[in-house]
Amino acid sequence: MTVKAILSAKGRHVTTIEPNVDLATAAKILAEKKIGALLITGAEGRVVGILSERDIVRTVAARGASALQMPLSEVMTRKVVTCTEAETVSVIMERMTAGKFRHVPVVEQERLIGVISIGDVVKHRLQEMEQESSALRDYIQTA
Ligand code: AMP
């Protein structure tokens, strides 16, 4: 199973935001859209950072409520680990585990074309396991 198969099933929409927006606005967008991370894009839609709900918790815990006025550029993670459509879901799972994050943007030719969350990975892995066990059951019944 590839990243492309996941994107074909879930769609390619990504919620993006600009680096000069404040943390309070980002928190509102995360809550409204019921998502866990925003991709921060700069010139020509290039990914310049990622902000997850964990970054908001960490910053508010360290600086108090005034942190909500800070621009995302001061809070986001700048070194974003990405993947391409052709990569397999198991490789993405390993990347998430090694990096201790739950979101991986999909980038092709420096263009953001989707995002894979740990929820997407688990959902597709479960579907794969169900298909494997059903194929095994069929095989046993016909053998
Ligand atoms: P998450 O588990 O995705 O909520 O993110 C945990 C931490 O990792 C946060 O500091 C995020 O900014 C960061 N993070 C999330 N996704 C990525 C990624 N693909 N590459 C680099 N850092 C990330």
Side-chain angles (χ1 to χ4, degrees):
M1 169 89 56
T2 60
V3 167
K4 190 174 186 174
I6 293 189
L7 290 186
S8 303
K10 74 168 255 191
R12 287 160 187 266
H13 177 75
V14 186
T15 306
T16 60
I17 192 166
E18 289 177 9
N20 57 337
V21 175
D22 67 19
L23 214 53
T25 307
K28 260 189 217 148
I29 296 172
L30 289 175
E32 274 166 18
K33 296 195 176 280
K34 299 188 172 70
I35 54 175
L38 292 168
L39 270 300
I40 294 112
T41 48
E44 292 168 24
R46 295 224 173 112
V47 175
V48 296
I50 188 163
L51 179 96
S52 97
E53 49 205 1
R54 288 202 182 164
D55 296 315
I56 300 176
V57 170
R58 176 175 50 80
T59 312
V60 171
R63 296 175 175 242
S66 65
L68 292 168
Q69 268 76 59
M70 286 170 72
L72 300 186
S73 54
E74 287 183 28
V75 181
M76 67 191 190
T77 301
R78 288 173 185 272
K79 204 163 176 266
V80 184
V81 177
T82 63
C83 69
T84 60
E85 278 194 299
E87 289 186 275
T88 63
V89 175
S90 48
V91 165
I92 305 309
M93 278 171 85
E94 279 167 24
R95 205 163 290 165
M96 285 178 171
T97 308
K100 296 191 172 68
F101 47 68
R102 300 166 292 175
H103 301 88
V104 179
V106 188
V107 173
E108 290 288 346
Q109 281 146 20
E110 298 189 20
R111 223 166 47 84
L112 179 63
I113 58 158
V115 65
I116 301 292
S117 75
I118 199 156
D120 300 323
V121 168
V122 169
K123 185 175 162 199
H124 282 78
R125 188 69 197 111
L126 276 176
Q127 279 171 1
E128 257 183 357
M129 284 161 67
E130 275 162 21
Q131 280 161 10
E132 280 163 16
S133 67
S134 146
L136 266 177
R137 267 198 305 275
D138 289 350
Y139 174 74
I140 289 164
Q141 275 164 11
T142 55

